[in-house]
């Protein structure tokens, strides 16, 4: 046991050395690679101390096991993005900055777990170095500087020319035409790089009615109609409330402005972008709408039901997207923040099968607008039971916390793996009996990859203390996805 623990420490230090070497060789994204390298070197201080004083190891073994996965994912990130050959994939992936932010977040989580190994004075400085807001500002600065470097390469023409240009010397006229086309392509690529590397997510604001174009209805419920529309020429979804409960527009605006400020903490490519609210005062009563990002494939639940041939690779990436959104909520500086009602209808899917978490944004604002019928409340309660943890099923007063939400997320992961509806055909009484009392877990399909199966089962563990954190889930799923590209994990 002792030797295996020491191998764990030595493995972390070995991966760290490999990351240092890879970062030194980076020809692209150099600022971000350098920053990552520096942060890992700081983090390795308490790890080196453990290596010198093995008696400390037992108290932080779990932290180190999680750190080992984070370090492997960090190595994968550097390998993937350190050279210019990945530029074309960057244009499609839209993930470089997001992936690095979450690796840095997990490094910060490890710092929290290792700080007690340092003396009090050094420990405070150590944690200050990994303070979330500071990391985010540094990440933004590095990404912008790396983007400027890429722009210089594009503008100077240091790019891989299309194959068709190789033989242009045979025809001067053709050469001139192709070089003109190439110049146009480079401008297009440059615009795409700018858009891809630093996504611009606008501030949430009150939107004027004349700035919206209402299009076709997409879905109707008892309380609202969802439309496809346009906002400043961008395609959006517009949720218009029917028979609104609210009359006092001042109170609605007050709730909205407060939530808009809070939501700035949760910006992430996998959290649905909210543009704002629109209050139409032209009628007898005000008409309220919430304007949000448009996801053309609809809810995750509907995608799983409609698309029978979703390959495992796609499902793994969708699971990772969903986990990244949950991690962004759970690891924010608002430490106690939970979504509150995680299920497969709260995740939306865009045209690239990118998954985004919705259903919590402007929740107080929305609740002040929506008039629910007794029937809709009853149905909502019945549908949500399948996502309740055993503890909550047994005791309605059981505190809903992050561990409870991880259980709910485990059910969503089960849905992604099976494409089935959870506890289909079960009555509320059966759910309470089977899950709450008998610790029942629905089986996974035989073709479910073993590492994914293990993760899903751990999320659905009966004992809340045995469920992984959102950070561990992201690390594990990132590692599973990385295995899909073995050529990218070797130097």
């Amino acid at each position: 046991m002792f030797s295996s623990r020491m191998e764990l420490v030595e493995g972390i230090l070995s991966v760290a050395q490999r990351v240092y070497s890879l970062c030194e060789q980076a020809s692209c994204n150099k600022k971000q690679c350098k920053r990552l390298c520096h942060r890992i070197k700081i983090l390795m201080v308490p790890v080196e101390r453990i290596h010198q004083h093995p008696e400390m190891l037992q108290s932080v073994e779990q932290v180190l096991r999680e750190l080992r996965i984070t370090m492997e994912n960090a190595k994968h990130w550097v390998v993937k993005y350190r050279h210019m050959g990945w530029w074309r994939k960057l244009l499609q992936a839209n993930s470089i900055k997001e992936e690095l932010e979450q690796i840095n977040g997990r490094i910060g989580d490890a710092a929290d777990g290792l700080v007690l190994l340092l003396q009090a004075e050094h420990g405070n400085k150590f944690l200050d170095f990994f303070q979330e807001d500071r990391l985010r500002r540094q990440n933004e600065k590095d990404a912008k500087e790396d983007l400027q470097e890429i722009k210089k390469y594009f503008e100077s023409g240091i790019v891989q020319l299309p194959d068709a240009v190789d033989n242009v010397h045979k025809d001067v006229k053709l050469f001139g035409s192709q070089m003109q086309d190439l110049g146009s392509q480079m401008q297009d690529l440059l615009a795409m790089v700018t858009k891809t590397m630093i996504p611009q997510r606008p501030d949430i604001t009150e939107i004027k009615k004349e700035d919206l174009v209402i299009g076709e209805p997409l879905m109707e419920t008892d309380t609202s109609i969802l439309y496809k529309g346009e906002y400043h020429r961008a395609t959006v979804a517009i949720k218009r409330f029917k028979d609104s409960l609210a009359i006092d527009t001042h109170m609605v605006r007050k709730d909205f402005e407060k939530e808009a400020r809070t939501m700035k903490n949760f910006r992430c490519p996998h959290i649905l972008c909210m543009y704002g609210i629109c209050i139409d005062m032209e009628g007898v009563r005000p008409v309220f709408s919430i304007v949000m990002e448009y996801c053309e494939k609809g809810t995750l639940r509907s995608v799983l039901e409609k698309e029978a041939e979703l390959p495992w690779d796609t499902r793994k990436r969708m699971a990772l997207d969903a986990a990244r959104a949950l991690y962004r909520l759970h690891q924010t500086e608002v430490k106690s923040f939970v979504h509150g009602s995680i299920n497969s209808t709260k995740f939306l899917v865009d045209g690239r099968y990118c998954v985004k978490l919705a259903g919590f944004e402007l929740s107080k604002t929305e609740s002040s607008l929506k008039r629910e019928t007794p029937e809709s409340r009853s149905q909502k309660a019945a549908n949500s039971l399948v996502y309740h943890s055993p503890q909550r099923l047994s005791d309605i007063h059981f505190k809903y916390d992050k561990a409870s939400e991880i259980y709910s997320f485990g059910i969503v992961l089960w849905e992604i793996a099976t494409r089935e509806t959870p506890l289909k055909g079960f009555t509320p009484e059966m759910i309470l009996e089977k899950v709450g009392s008998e610790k029942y877990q629905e089986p996974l399909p035989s073709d479910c990859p073993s590492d994914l199966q293990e993760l899903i089962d751990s999320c659905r563990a009966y004992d809340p203390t045995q469920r992984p954190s959102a950070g561990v889930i992201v690390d594990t799923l990132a590692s599973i996805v990385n295995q899909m590209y073995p050529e990218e994990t070797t130097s």
Side-chain angles (χ1 to χ4, degrees), residues 5-20 40 43-44 47-48 50 60-61 63-69 71-72 114:
R5 287 173 177 166
M6 286 306 296
E7 287 173 4
L8 174 63
V9 176
E10 290 165 359
I12 292 170
L13 294 172
S14 175
V15 176
Q17 289 295 328
R18 184 65 181 137
V19 171
Y20 304 155
I40 290 176
L43 184 64
M44 288 304 108
V47 178
E48 290 278 10
I50 294 171
V60 290
E61 182 178 357
V63 175
L64 293 176
R65 292 195 183 282
E66 294 176 10
L67 177 58
R68 177 61 191 266
I69 302 174
M71 293 298 297
E72 290 289 350
L114 296 174

Side-chain angles (χ1 to χ4, degrees), residues 373-390:
T373 65
E375 292 79 9
S376 64
R377 285 195 296 269
S378 175
Q379 185 60 48
K380 183 186 294 185
N383 292 341
S384 68
L385 273 183
V386 299
Y387 297 95
H388 282 3
S389 68

Side-chain angles (χ1 to χ4, degrees), residues 171-231:
D171 189 328
V172 175
K173 185 176 180 180
L174 177 63
F175 175 80
S177 173
Q178 288 182 329
M179 287 305 292
Q180 187 175 11
D181 290 344
L182 178 61
S184 176
Q185 290 174 19
M186 287 173 61
Q187 289 300 318
D188 291 343
L189 287 173
L190 184 57
M192 290 175 68
V193 168
T194 303
K195 181 180 179 181
T196 298
M197 285 197 63
I198 307 180
Q200 298 298 313
R201 295 174 71 85
D203 285 338
I204 305 164
T205 185
E206 185 173 336
I207 296 169
K208 297 177 181 178
K209 178 189 174 184
E210 52 267 28
D211 289 337
L212 291 177
V213 177
I214 306 293
E216 62 182 294
L218 300 172
M219 184 177 69
E220 183 171 359
T221 69
D222 291 338
T223 60
S224 64
I225 304 176
L226 186 68
Y227 295 92
K228 182 178 179 180
E230 286 187 10
Y231 174 49

Side-chain angles (χ1 to χ4, degrees), residues 169-334:
H169 61 278
K170 296 179 181 178
D171 189 328
V172 175
K173 185 176 180 180
L174 177 63
F175 175 80
S177 173
Q178 288 182 329
M179 287 305 292
Q180 187 175 11
D181 290 344
L182 178 61
S184 176
Q185 290 174 19
M186 287 173 61
Q187 289 300 318
D188 291 343
L189 287 173
L190 184 57
M192 290 175 68
V193 168
T194 303
K195 181 180 179 181
T196 298
M197 285 197 63
I198 307 180
Q200 298 298 313
R201 295 174 71 85
D203 285 338
I204 305 164
T205 185
E206 185 173 336
I207 296 169
K208 297 177 181 178
K209 178 189 174 184
E210 52 267 28
D211 289 337
L212 291 177
V213 177
I214 306 293
E216 62 182 294
L218 300 172
M219 184 177 69
E220 183 171 359
T221 69
D222 291 338
T223 60
S224 64
I225 304 176
L226 186 68
Y227 295 92
K228 182 178 179 180
E230 286 187 10
Y231 174 49
H232 292 315
R233 297 185 179 180
T235 302
V236 295
I238 302 170
K239 187 174 187 178
R240 176 169 286 183
F241 292 90
K242 303 187 293 187
D243 188 26
S244 173
L245 187 65
I247 297 177
D248 187 344
T249 57
H250 173 74
M251 289 302 297
V252 172
R253 285 189 173 100
K254 187 176 179 181
D255 284 343
F256 167 72
E257 289 168 1
K258 181 178 179 181
E259 288 193 289
R261 288 193 297 270
T262 302
M263 282 176 58
K264 289 182 179 180
N265 294 318
F266 306 126
R267 287 184 172 173
C268 163
H270 297 294
I271 291 179
L272 193 74
C273 181
M274 302 297 293
Y275 298 105
I277 61 168
C278 176
I279 305 177
D280 181 359
M281 300 293 295
E282 291 184 2
V284 177
R285 292 168 59 93
V287 177
F288 300 89
S289 300
I290 292 181
V291 183
M292 65 196 88
E293 187 176 0
Y294 175 66
C295 290
E296 50 265 61
K297 289 190 176 292
T299 68
L300 175 61
R301 179 68 259 158
S302 64
V303 170
L304 296 174
E305 289 174 352
K306 293 175 184 176
E307 303 198 23
E309 300 299 328
L310 274 176
W312 275 112
D313 286 0
T314 301
R315 282 186 273 173
K316 289 174 184 177
R317 286 192 292 267
M318 291 169 74
L320 177 57
D321 287 352
R324 283 173 168 160
L326 188 66
Y327 175 60
R328 186 70 194 93
L329 260 61
H330 283 198
Q331 68 95 42
T332 185
E333 289 176 353
V334 185

